Amino acid sequence: MDHQIDGIYQGFLRQAQTHPEKPLFHLPEGRTLTYSQVLQTSRRIATKLIGDGVVPGDRVAAQVEKSPEAIALYLATLQVGGVYLPLNTAYTGAEMDYFMSDAAPRVLVCDPSQTAAHVQRGKDGIVVETLGAGGEGTLLAAEQEHTEVAQLRASDPGAILYTSGTTGRSKGAVLTQGNLAANCASLIQSWEYTEADVLIHALPIFHIHGLFVAVNMTLVSGASMIWLPKFDPDAVLESMPRATVLMGVPTFYTRLLSSQQLSAEACAGMRLFVSGSAPLLASDHEAFEARTGHAILERYGMTETGMNTSNPYRDGPRRPGTVGHPLPGVQVRIVDRESQASLPQGEVGIIEVRGDNVFAGYWNMPEKTAEEFREDGFFITGDLGVIDEQGYLSIVGRDKDLVISGGFNIYPKEVEGLIDEHPGVFESAVIGVPHPDLGEGLVAVVVPTGDDAPEETAILQALAGELARFKQPRAVRFVDALPRNVMGKVQKAQLRKQYTELFSS
Ligand code: MLC
Ligand code: AMP
């Protein structure tokens, strides 16, 4: 039902008015920023956005370093009814060109060092503003505070997050104000997150995990964050005595386990460790519990849906290798790929979800949107799962061709397309194989056109100019032919098996 929304911005505003002097950010140099200071900054940014012509529904794109001011920009965008479009700082020129032409934002906020790269966009009608890691740049130039708050409905778009597609072109998932608010409320309730919490924030803020799980929950519940520029195990361990919660991708936990400093004493003040975005190894879950006494709470989500399921905070065990039960307000079913019939407990099928958390559709792609929804409103996740007799969901694989490396998603199709353009390459298959640190590491299996295979370094160098670093393969292997089934489809499972030891040996 569409109704006027008590959204993320309203939740933050309430907290800022209730306890203006409470720290929202604890910064590395010992500085803090209070709720009231962040409110002021966001209102100054709102003045700037209004001056730039932003009206409700306009996209505000941000490719900026992690900073408190970047969160103020997110808040200002919500305040004026804009649609926030965060972009990975690793994206290169060609990737950015696509996002800018597809999303057609009113404003692009970039790092001051990148101004020259975006001059043309200014000429194309996008207003380019700058914001550096230290808060410098044009975005904070306005002194005046804009206080009016746009009145929005649950169905109004709040954000667009690009997620790569299996067919190559990235798709902009449109999340509504209602999606963001519903998922946030559900998580706050499930994990008993309160204003007494102090979160160690070490994730990037251009993804759903770092922004819509970690930051939204903190803003709305009036909690505080120890704000780290990036994940560093020593900095996380140093922060623990002052903190209560950590949210991370599995690589965070693998790296923490490698530290001698990780112990029950180091974690004594913590009440919750959350993992998600990629599968947490059951062995890491068990090793972490043995070392610290804390059972990591694993949950399952995606850009299009926010969080879907979670292991229990209180009532019941947190089971290694599972992602728990549906969150309040979320329905989950397992469906047979061919017949589309719902499957009983114990059978593996495609995970489908429905609820207020599920996005409105892909930006400018009605056909793609229609393809990924069932008629009864369930969204087809493309993940394969099974539900056990206690109702715990386990993710057992992916029906989509996707690699998750260190919590970042890579769609092989995009990388294969570029490798195939390289002189001397006939075709290629890009796969993910087990990687001790990143979970999965990217490998390109290449078939050369003739006897003279191109150099591995030449292929990698060509990709470096086109793709963000995390999408560039960690290894290239040359073969005479790719294994195919009778339908001519490349057998990636066979390739994964063949190269499974590549990074572990
Ligand atoms: C960095 N590199 C990566 C990488 N991250 N390569 C592949 N995959 C990654 N994820 C590159 C760097 O550019 C560098 O290249 C080299 O790897 C070594 O870098 P590093 O110093 O070891 O990496 P680091 O900066 O420490 O980053 C690793 C990490 C980071 C795991 C801490 O990737 C991270 O914070 N990931 C979180 C991603 C995330 O938030 N995902 C949530 C998505 S939302 P070179 O050439 O310089 O050596 C989602 C939905 C949900 O999935 O359910 O939450
Ligand atoms: P993204 O499209 O970046 O939002 O990534 C979403 C995908 O990450 C999901 O479709 C899953 O494949 C994967 N994912 C998220 N959380 C988990 C988890 N706890 N275990 C396994 N896979 C996960």
Side-chain angles (χ1 to χ4, degrees):
M1 250 230 317
D2 205 11
H3 49 84
Q4 202 157 322
I5 185 87
D6 187 43
I8 300 298
Y9 185 79
Q10 282 80 4
F12 159 72
L13 189 58
R14 229 178 350 259
Q15 295 298 345
Q17 286 162 347
T18 314
H19 46 57
E21 297 315 317
K22 177 166 182 183
L24 170 51
F25 291 97
H26 294 279
L27 301 169
E29 324 81 71
R31 268 195 321 135
T32 58
L33 284 175
T34 63
Y35 270 81
S36 133
Q37 286 171 312
V38 177
L39 179 64
Q40 280 168 8
T41 306
S42 65
R43 285 174 163 174
R44 283 171 52 204
I45 297 175
T47 302
K48 191 81 175 152
L49 296 180
I50 296 279
D52 289 342
V54 173
V55 294
D58 277 351
R59 276 76 57 212
V60 174
Q63 191 187 34
V64 291
E65 294 300 329
K66 183 173 178 179
S67 69
E69 290 76 14
I71 298 303
L73 167 61
Y74 164 56
L75 285 164
T77 305
L78 295 177
Q79 183 195 342
V80 303
V83 182
Y84 191 60
L85 167 45
L87 292 158
N88 193 327
T89 43
Y91 287 142
T92 62
E95 289 161 323
M96 283 297 287
D97 288 345
Y98 170 73
F99 297 131
M100 292 302 99
S101 68
D102 189 54
R106 164 71 53 204
V107 176
L108 165 65
V109 185
C110 69
D111 192 81
S113 65
Q114 297 299 310
T115 323
H118 297 300
V119 170
Q120 186 56 40
R121 297 193 215 289
K123 293 182 188 146
D124 293 342
I126 298 175
V127 182
V128 179
E129 300 281 5
T130 56
L131 175 66
E136 69 280 13
T138 61
L139 193 68
L140 284 152
E143 289 298 332
Q144 209 187 332
E145 293 180 25
H146 179 82
T147 53
E148 195 186 320
V149 180
Q151 295 300 306
L152 299 168
R153 306 190 77 75
S155 61
D156 286 326
I160 296 181
L161 265 75
Y162 275 91
T163 142
S164 305
T166 37
T167 50
R169 272 183 70 199
S170 288
K171 301 169 288 185
V174 181
L175 291 153
T176 65
Q177 298 280 345
N179 295 148
L180 301 183
N183 212 224
C184 181
S186 189
L187 291 169
I188 286 174
Q189 179 192 336
S190 302
W191 298 346
E192 301 186 15
Y193 200 77
T194 72
E195 62 179 24
D197 276 310
V198 181
L199 172 77
I200 302 177
H201 195 300
L203 287 159
I205 51 168
F206 40 72
H207 279 308
I208 197 149
H209 194 166
L211 191 59
F212 298 151
V213 181
V215 171
N216 280 357
M217 287 174 72
T218 302
L219 296 173
V220 170
S221 58
S224 305
M225 295 183 275
I226 297 178
W227 193 247
L228 302 178
K230 59 175 284 200
F231 177 75
D232 167 37
D234 293 335
V236 167
L237 282 155
E238 265 170 40
S239 304
M240 278 190 196
R242 296 178 288 135
T244 60
V245 179
L246 173 70
M247 297 181 194
V249 296
T251 301
F252 283 22
Y253 295 101
T254 312
R255 291 188 184 179
L256 281 170
L257 279 164
S258 306
S259 167
Q260 298 295 325
Q261 315 301 319
L262 183 77
S263 64
E265 299 76 65
C267 303
M270 296 288 287
R271 72 167 183 92
L272 180 62
F273 291 88
V274 180
S275 176
S277 306
L280 177 72
L281 290 173
S283 54
D284 277 355
H285 184 289
E286 283 149 9
F288 198 88
E289 188 164 14
R291 281 270 284 284
T292 68
H294 286 274
I296 298 170
L297 182 152
E298 186 169 6
R299 62 31 168 211
Y300 159 57
M302 26 182 336
T303 301
E304 288 91 337
T305 63
M307 300 303 105
N308 296 313
T309 71
S310 168
N311 267 280
Y313 177 66
R314 191 178 291 280
D315 303 317
R318 299 177 197 161
R319 294 234 167 94
T322 81
V323 291
H325 306 107
L327 285 161
V330 183
Q331 292 164 272
V332 175
R333 70 183 181 197
I334 305 290
V335 166
D336 182 78
R337 192 212 281 140
E338 311 306 328
S339 70
Q340 296 177 17
S342 264
L343 293 172
Q345 279 176 354
E347 288 192 30
V348 173
I350 298 194
I351 304 170
E352 298 188 350
V353 297
R354 183 168 71 180
D356 288 342
N357 56 315
V358 177
F359 77 136
Y362 296 112
W363 178 253
N364 280 340
M365 290 187 179
E367 290 94 20
K368 206 79 211 113
T369 304
E371 273 170 31
E372 302 203 13
F373 278 93
R374 301 280 181 216
E375 271 173 14
D376 59 3
F378 272 84
F379 173 69
I380 308 164
T381 63
D383 290 311
L384 296 172
V386 59
I387 296 177
D388 70 14
E389 57 283 3
Q390 272 87 43
Y392 284 73
L393 175 69
S394 295
I395 298 170
V396 298
R398 295 176 207 132
D399 191 47
K400 51 194 174 191
D401 191 13
L402 162 71
V403 179
I404 308 183
S405 180
F408 285 140
N409 284 10
I410 303 144
Y411 279 84
K413 192 90 194 158
E414 183 181 4
V415 187
E416 289 160 1
L418 291 168
I419 296 177
D420 293 353
E421 283 172 14
H422 195 78
V425 171
F426 176 62
E427 62 173 350
S428 63
V430 167
I431 53 169
V433 299
H435 188 287
D437 180 41
L438 297 169
E440 290 180 305
L442 207 62
V443 183
V445 185
V446 173
V447 181
T449 319
D451 291 338
D452 283 335
E455 293 286 326
E456 170 171 352
T457 46
I459 293 180
L460 292 177
Q461 265 166 18
L463 291 178
E466 299 282 336
L467 286 176
R469 174 73 186 103
F470 70 91
K471 295 185 198 165
Q472 297 166 28
R474 294 299 160 119
V476 179
R477 290 291 175 271
F478 294 95
V479 294
D480 293 337
L482 295 175
R484 290 181 186 275
N485 66 10
V486 283
M487 311 285 288
K489 192 169 181 250
V490 176
Q491 299 293 78
K492 289 203 167 173
Q494 191 172 322
L495 287 174
R496 279 193 289 269
K497 210 163 153 195
Q498 189 176 341
Y499 294 106
T500 192
E501 303 281 336
L502 193 63
F503 297 120
S504 48
S505 56

